[in-house]
Amino acid sequence: MIKSTMLSRLPCGIHVLILTIALLSHGSTSSKLDRRSQSHTIRHMNIDEDQAQFTDFPFRDTSLPWSERVDDLVSRLTLEEIQVQMSRGGAGDFGGPAPPIPRLGIGAYNWDTECLRGDVGAVENATGFPQAIGLAATFSQDILYNVAKATGQEVRAKYNDFVKRGIFATHTSASCFSPVINILRDPRWGRNQETYGEDPFLAGILVENFVTGIQGDNARFIMTSAGCKHFDVHGGPENIPVSRFSFDAIVSDTDWRMTFLPAFKKCIEAGTYSVMCSYNSVNGVPACANKKLLTDILRTEWNFKGYVVSDQGAIENVIWQHKYCNNSVDAVAACVNAGTNLELSGNLPTPVYMSMMDAIQQGKLSEDLVRERVKPLFYTRMRLGEFDPVQDNPYAQLGIDQIESAEHQQVAVTAAMKSFVLLKNQGDILPLKKGEFSKVAIIGPMSDDVAQVMGDYAPRQDRSFSTAPLDAVRALYPNAKHGQVCNDSTPCTQYNKAAVPAIVKDTELVFVALGTGQAVEMEGKDRPDVELAGHQKELLLDVLDNSGDAKIILLLFSASPLNITFADQSDRVVAIMECFFPAQSTGKALYNVLTNTGPYSSPAGRLPNTWPLYSTQIPPMVNYSMEGRTYRYFRGDPLYPFGYGLSYTQFNFSNLMYNTTIKAGESLSVQVDTTNVGDVDGEEVLQCYISWNDKSLPVPQLQLAYFDRILIASKQTISRSLSISSESMAFWQDGKWVIKAGGMSLFCGGQQPNQKKQVPSNVLSGTFTITDSITLEK
């Protein structure tokens, strides 16, 4: 398939081919709008007919149940109209929108919007929140909810404005292709930054809060519709060593059920309206044509009532990449029968789903099934309020004053501060104090590269709201020296080694800002290894060689682990902080945390993934066995373990109480005290893990079963009552979920038990017994 340059990346519908003519013709939605790259426009007007003539249709009768309204609407559609509606998932000139149906008074609708951490893709301005992997590092349900809520408000506000102006271009929708809840199983995968880390329990809790936040809390209407992706067994490769478009993920039933499916189940339970099927095959069957995945598991077991949309071009790939079908008739039959409701094409003039009528005529699809498949699309539009009076819908009242509001800017700052993970703090060098150092420098490709600290899938954001690491350092040390020596940013293949000495010599403190950014890791771009890119390691070594006895603070901006073992072991590198991609509030958040200024400024981020000590600890990318991957199955010593992170204070855990015997299917009630024994107010992340004492069972060696981020004043104690769900004690065996009688171990503290790299706090432990065995409903 030949695609344009923009479409060749196939980023689940993220394109910048939008809105110029429409915006120039109709004005902008905000005085702060970004008008760059407005090179191409798709503009569709609402139908002109007086809507009053359509009010007699039962599908517009707000007194009827939703199901009756949807049934009435779909019964009035011709098969030709359904074919078009299911073919136009919405990317590019030809990919969308779903066109209007004037005879029924139904307007156009675009399904294609990215809402990962802000309104992504549309040229108009939006608040840039930290990248998803950083949000995961907060271990905070509140942060996920608040970021999602603010994102939903801005997406809906802009959608309302676009509809008023008759614009239905790419990324103007109220339907989100977000969040991404694939498991971070390999540190080299290019899309790790979009995920919530390596643990299915953590990802599941966070996705519940994201979905709830972005869809809103109104009993009748939704603010936006969430869409969890990429379903399923999708976690690399992108391009190394093979292409994602044709990759076949071979996965055991145990790993599939216990690692790759649980977060998606939580997404369904949270009420998401859609799921996106992935590019890859699963055990030989393309995900978008996989009946076991999309019907047997998703709909029959989990009772999902929403719609499945393909990843962009994934339906085409069933033919051209996977070669599962050899023509569009068979492909549309396979995908619709399997459970894919909506095609997001690679901007094809004639999408694969436009062969739906032929498939029906040839007996490969039934009309009844096709009509059932289109119903969730119109149900979603109804719940968004499209067919109800505008005045009845509170979300239809959201206006452009939501964009970069003071409240949303503060959410962005707080989220970034809470995402930072302090990996090293030798001699308690941090927090810094004004006047403590007079000769300071900052160097490195991430020091002033605002674009790279945004990360991938970032909102097209007005840079006047953005601050960089350099801004943080200069706010603290106005005369700090600065220079760029990586002339091509983070790839750092063009390294000006000779410029380093003049920047760092005769200093007392040097900040080195290194990392990856989209230039090194992103969708479509895996890393070949976990080494610092290009000459970045050489740069850090040159700083050490040319800065005398200066103290070095290493600031890392990446999604995935980096090989910094040498820096962790160096006495000269006194502090290391992983900052992920903090987006627009990078500088403000860094200043607050480096100086312990204001609430939440003592770092309490925790790693949502394991950092390997050696590259030999990483299995091959294409091997989908979980053996040796993530803290749940890796048996060696990492550089930094999952859940690791330091603070400016210290905590102690005590008084662990729980029932020592429970019946299978019962939750375990637990109580534990956490005391801030230090002199600084701070947050601790309480982490409770369980393990199975019978090592012959097909279970992880350790499983996170509860977490909570708790603010505790200095010298104060917080008592927390919590519950370990029976679901956490279940495992997949012989085709079913079971809880087995036997002994279990419980660990509660601020880190994993028995880890070699430890934070200065204790872990409490004990055992309990499950008295019988049961089989759970799927």
Side-chain angles (χ1 to χ4, degrees):
M1 176 183 179
I2 300 175
K3 296 181 174 68
S4 70
T5 302
M6 290 299 295
L7 290 171
S8 63
R9 186 179 161 205
L10 286 174
C12 309
I14 184 169
H15 307 296
V16 191
L17 304 176
I18 47 180
L19 291 176
T20 305
I21 296 173
L23 291 175
L24 294 177
S25 300
H26 296 277
S28 64
T29 61
S30 169
S31 61
K32 304 169 183 173
L33 298 184
D34 182 347
R35 295 183 175 273
R36 295 169 299 166
S37 301
Q38 298 177 5
S39 58
H40 192 64
T41 299
I42 310 160
R43 180 171 174 264
H44 302 271
M45 296 303 297
N46 268 320
I47 58 173
D48 295 325
E49 289 87 350
D50 180 4
Q51 294 293 313
Q53 64 180 295
F54 305 111
T55 56
D56 289 340
F57 288 136
F59 70 80
R60 293 188 181 275
D61 185 346
T62 60
S63 69
L64 294 177
W66 294 114
S67 59
E68 290 186 24
R69 296 177 66 185
V70 172
D71 288 348
D72 176 73
L73 189 159
V74 172
S75 72
R76 298 175 186 278
L77 301 178
T78 67
L79 282 176
E80 290 86 352
E81 289 168 336
I82 292 174
Q83 175 178 262
V84 175
Q85 293 293 314
M86 293 175 64
S87 299
R88 303 294 178 181
D93 288 357
F94 304 110
I101 306 173
R103 66 183 184 86
L104 297 178
I106 296 173
Y109 189 75
N110 190 289
W111 293 97
D112 175 16
T113 287
E114 298 284 355
C115 316
L116 185 63
R117 36 55 179 265
D119 187 12
V120 178
V123 296
E124 303 191 351
N125 187 41
T127 307
F129 300 100
Q131 179 59 292
I133 190 65
L135 298 178
T138 68
F139 276 68
S140 170
Q141 299 180 50
D142 290 342
I143 286 294
L144 264 293
Y145 177 85
N146 291 339
V147 167
K149 180 181 177 181
T151 295
Q153 289 169 337
E154 295 196 12
V155 168
R156 184 58 189 247
K158 292 167 68 173
Y159 166 75
N160 293 340
D161 182 71
F162 289 137
V163 169
K164 290 176 183 176
R165 292 189 278 153
I167 299 170
F168 298 91
T170 300
H171 297 308
T172 61
S173 173
S175 292
C176 297
F177 295 162
S178 308
V180 175
I181 52 174
N182 300 112
I183 296 300
L184 196 167
R185 64 176 196 97
D186 192 298
R188 298 162 297 193
W189 184 34
R191 302 191 74 171
N192 284 331
Q193 62 182 282
E194 302 171 46
T195 75
Y196 295 146
E198 70 181 33
D199 182 71
F201 178 82
L202 173 66
I205 297 297
L206 298 183
V207 72
E208 286 179 323
N209 285 272
F210 184 96
V211 170
T212 302
I214 205 161
Q215 293 190 164
D217 58 3
N218 186 270
R220 182 171 181 82
F221 300 105
I222 54 174
M223 182 160 54
T224 68
S225 59
C228 293
K229 63 183 186 184
H230 309 81
F231 197 55
D232 188 36
V233 198
H234 185 79
E238 292 291 297
N239 64 326
I240 300 175
V242 296
S243 169
R244 61 181 174 158
F245 301 129
S246 58
F247 180 67
D248 185 10
I250 304 301
V251 63
S252 71
D253 212 31
T254 298
D255 285 341
W256 195 3
R257 294 286 184 164
M258 295 193 66
T259 296
F260 298 107
L261 285 172
F264 282 97
K265 185 171 186 288
K266 290 298 182 184
C267 175
I268 304 308
E269 292 173 351
T272 187
Y273 276 68
S274 75
V275 168
M276 176 180 282
C277 53
S278 53
Y279 285 126
N280 57 285
S281 286
V282 181
N283 294 334
V285 182
C288 295
N290 197 309
K291 178 179 177 295
K292 178 178 180 180
L293 178 67
L294 302 183
T295 294
D296 299 346
I297 294 174
L298 183 62
R299 291 185 168 91
T300 303
E301 292 185 24
W302 296 353
N303 199 34
F304 177 61
K305 301 299 184 184
Y307 66 92
V308 175
V309 58
S310 75
D311 205 336
Q312 188 184 325
I315 304 296
E316 303 146 43
N317 290 347
V318 169
I319 304 171
W320 299 321
Q321 297 288 340
H322 295 288
K323 304 188 186 306
Y324 186 75
C325 300
N326 61 14
N327 61 78
S328 59
V329 172
D330 288 343
V332 67
C335 294
V336 172
N337 280 322
T340 303
N341 307 73
L342 181 63
E343 178 181 7
L344 176 63
S345 81
N347 200 33
L348 293 180
T350 305
V352 174
Y353 270 28
M354 288 300 289
S355 295
M356 193 177 298
M357 292 287 295
D358 291 337
I360 292 172
Q361 291 167 3
Q362 295 178 30
K364 297 179 179 181
L365 268 179
S366 72
E367 177 179 345
D368 287 346
L369 179 63
V370 167
R371 289 190 178 275
E372 286 302 311
R373 290 288 187 250
V374 82
K375 285 181 180 179
L377 302 181
F378 285 100
Y379 175 69
T380 301
R381 292 171 67 172
M382 282 188 182
R383 295 301 300 270
L384 286 165
E386 182 176 341
F387 304 111
D388 282 35
V390 171
Q391 63 270 20
D392 293 349
N393 185 355
Y395 300 127
Q397 317 310 317
L398 291 173
I400 58 174
D401 57 346
Q402 297 289 325
I403 312 303
E404 286 282 15
S405 67
E407 179 183 356
H408 292 180
Q409 290 182 56
Q410 187 55 53
V411 170
V413 173
T414 302
M417 291 170 61
K418 290 196 172 194
S419 72
F420 298 157
V421 181
L422 185 60
L423 301 174
K424 181 179 181 180
N425 194 21
Q426 185 174 299
D428 292 330
I429 182 70
L430 298 177
L432 297 167
K433 301 176 182 62
K434 285 190 175 182
E436 189 175 3
F437 299 95
S438 59
K439 299 176 181 179
V440 177
I442 178 170
I443 194 172
M446 281 295 201
S447 60
D448 62 349
D449 194 329
V450 174
Q452 295 302 313
V453 298
M454 292 294 289
D456 200 13
Y457 279 89
R460 291 179 56 79
Q461 187 259 341
D462 186 334
R463 292 295 189 248
S464 68
F465 293 99
S466 295
T467 53
L470 176 61
D471 297 310
V473 172
R474 286 268 172 85
L476 186 57
Y477 306 108
N479 297 319
K481 292 190 290 183
H482 172 251
Q484 268 300 359
V485 293
C486 293
N487 295 328
D488 56 345
S489 191
T490 53
C492 203
T493 59
Q494 302 171 23
Y495 175 50
N496 186 357
K497 183 184 182 76
V500 173
I503 298 170
V504 303
K505 72 176 182 178
D506 299 325
T507 55
E508 300 167 324
L509 179 68
V510 180
F511 295 88
V512 182
L514 306 179
T516 55
Q518 311 89 281
V520 174
E521 58 174 337
M522 63 179 292
E523 180 176 6
K525 186 183 297 182
D526 294 320
R527 293 189 298 159
D529 50 48
V530 295
E531 302 301 318
L532 289 164
H535 293 276
Q536 288 192 42
K537 180 177 180 180
E538 183 181 355
L539 164 58
L540 180 53
L541 293 173
D542 287 343
V543 170
L544 289 168
D545 289 342
N546 290 279
S547 58
D549 295 327
K551 300 179 185 299
I552 310 299
I553 294 178
L554 177 58
L555 303 175
L556 299 174
F557 299 85
S558 69
S560 305
L562 299 165
N563 181 3
I564 56 163
T565 301
F566 73 99
D568 183 73
Q569 296 173 350
S570 170
D571 289 337
R572 290 278 312 286
V573 180
V574 292
I576 304 174
M577 187 176 291
E578 171 59 64
C579 305
F580 304 100
F581 299 124
Q584 72 175 46
S585 300
T586 298
K588 291 181 180 178
L590 259 180
Y591 175 86
N592 291 344
V593 172
L594 289 173
T595 61
N596 193 27
T597 299
Y600 313 118
S601 55
S602 175
R606 302 291 181 258
L607 289 179
N609 56 305
T610 303
W611 281 44
L613 183 61
Y614 306 110
S615 59
T616 54
Q617 295 175 332
I618 308 171
M621 172 79 85
V622 296
N623 180 359
Y624 261 77
S625 168
M626 288 306 298
E627 185 63 31
R629 294 188 187 275
T630 76
Y631 80 93
R632 300 167 73 227
Y633 298 101
F634 173 63
R635 302 187 187 279
D637 292 320
L639 175 60
Y640 302 116
F642 171 89
Y644 178 84
L646 300 171
S647 172
Y648 293 157
T649 188
Q650 299 83 40
F651 299 93
N652 182 265
F653 297 88
S654 60
N655 300 326
L656 178 65
M657 293 183 288
Y658 59 93
N659 298 324
T660 57
T661 302
I662 60 171
K663 293 180 180 180
E666 292 181 345
S667 297
L668 179 69
S669 296
V670 179
Q671 183 171 317
V672 63
D673 292 345
T674 308
T675 302
N676 181 346
V677 298
D679 297 324
V680 176
D681 296 347
E683 293 176 293
E684 173 64 301
V685 176
L686 170 61
Q687 304 170 44
C688 291
Y689 297 84
I690 58 173
S691 66
W692 291 258
N693 295 346
D694 183 350
K695 302 306 179 185
S696 68
L697 298 175
V699 295
Q701 61 184 349
L702 194 65
Q703 176 60 61
L704 181 68
Y706 177 86
F707 66 89
D708 190 18
R709 183 164 176 149
I710 310 168
L711 178 62
I712 310 175
S714 172
K715 310 302 182 182
Q716 298 298 306
T717 298
I718 296 291
S719 183
R720 182 68 83 231
S721 295
L722 59 101
S723 180
I724 306 296
S725 72
S726 60
E727 187 178 13
S728 294
M729 305 172 205
F731 57 91
W732 187 260
Q733 187 176 46
D734 300 327
K736 54 185 179 293
W737 286 104
V738 297
I739 298 176
K740 288 289 184 72
M744 300 280 294
S745 294
L746 171 69
F747 309 90
C748 288
Q751 59 193 321
Q752 290 183 51
N754 307 316
Q755 60 189 35
K756 185 175 181 179
K757 175 82 74 172
Q758 296 186 357
V759 301
S761 68
N762 59 323
V763 176
L764 305 175
S765 63
T767 61
F768 63 97
T769 301
I770 301 174
T771 58
D772 51 2
S773 300
I774 62 171
T775 299
L776 302 179
E777 293 184 5
K778 296 179 179 180

